[in-house]
Amino acid sequence: MMPQQVPQQVQGAAVPPPMPSGSPMTPTGTVVPRPPQLFEQSYIENIFRLNLGKIGTFYMTYENNSQWNAKVFRGRLEAAGRDHIIISDPNTGQRIVMLMVNFDYATFDEPLNYQYPGFTPRVEDEA
């Protein structure tokens, strides 16, 4: 005969089941589930992913480099990861992988796609 499992007791109360970290809890100990996230969080790689295919100018800084400390690249955004981006030269097709640790900022000549909770695009941007 198998012994029955008894809920673990802590000071007379049953221990709640484990929940994902960061779940809000009421004072009575009831876990409130979070609604599903409708948008990706606003990290630079997510912004880049929303704008793949667009041509931009990317400003990079390379510390302790004796030949060049800062460099500017222009190209079509092909891919974006957490630690890198890949752009291609629209004239030659050459692809360049750049590390995000060197990234300063980027400019684009056209409107960017952007999604973030609480951000409402202007009507003229949606046209």
Side-chain angles (χ1 to χ4, degrees), residues 4-83:
Q4 289 184 338
Q5 289 186 332
V6 178
Q8 186 179 5
Q9 298 287 322
V10 175
Q11 296 180 354
V15 175
M19 292 299 290
S21 170
S23 297
M25 187 178 288
T26 66
T28 60
T30 305
V31 175
V32 180
R34 291 182 182 247
Q37 195 170 343
L38 300 176
F39 301 100
E40 291 190 64
Q41 292 183 345
S42 185
Y43 293 110
I44 191 70
E45 68 264 21
N46 294 335
I47 296 169
F48 282 156
R49 284 187 198 120
L50 289 170
N51 291 282
L52 295 177
K54 294 187 178 184
I55 294 181
T57 304
F58 301 86
Y59 298 83
M60 312 294 276
T61 302
Y62 301 90
E63 294 182 26
N64 302 319
N65 188 315
S66 61
Q67 294 179 350
W68 33 263
N69 180 267
K71 193 158 172 117
V72 178
F73 298 88
R74 184 153 176 87
R76 184 175 314 282
L77 187 57
E78 299 285 339
R82 177 163 283 173
D83 67 345

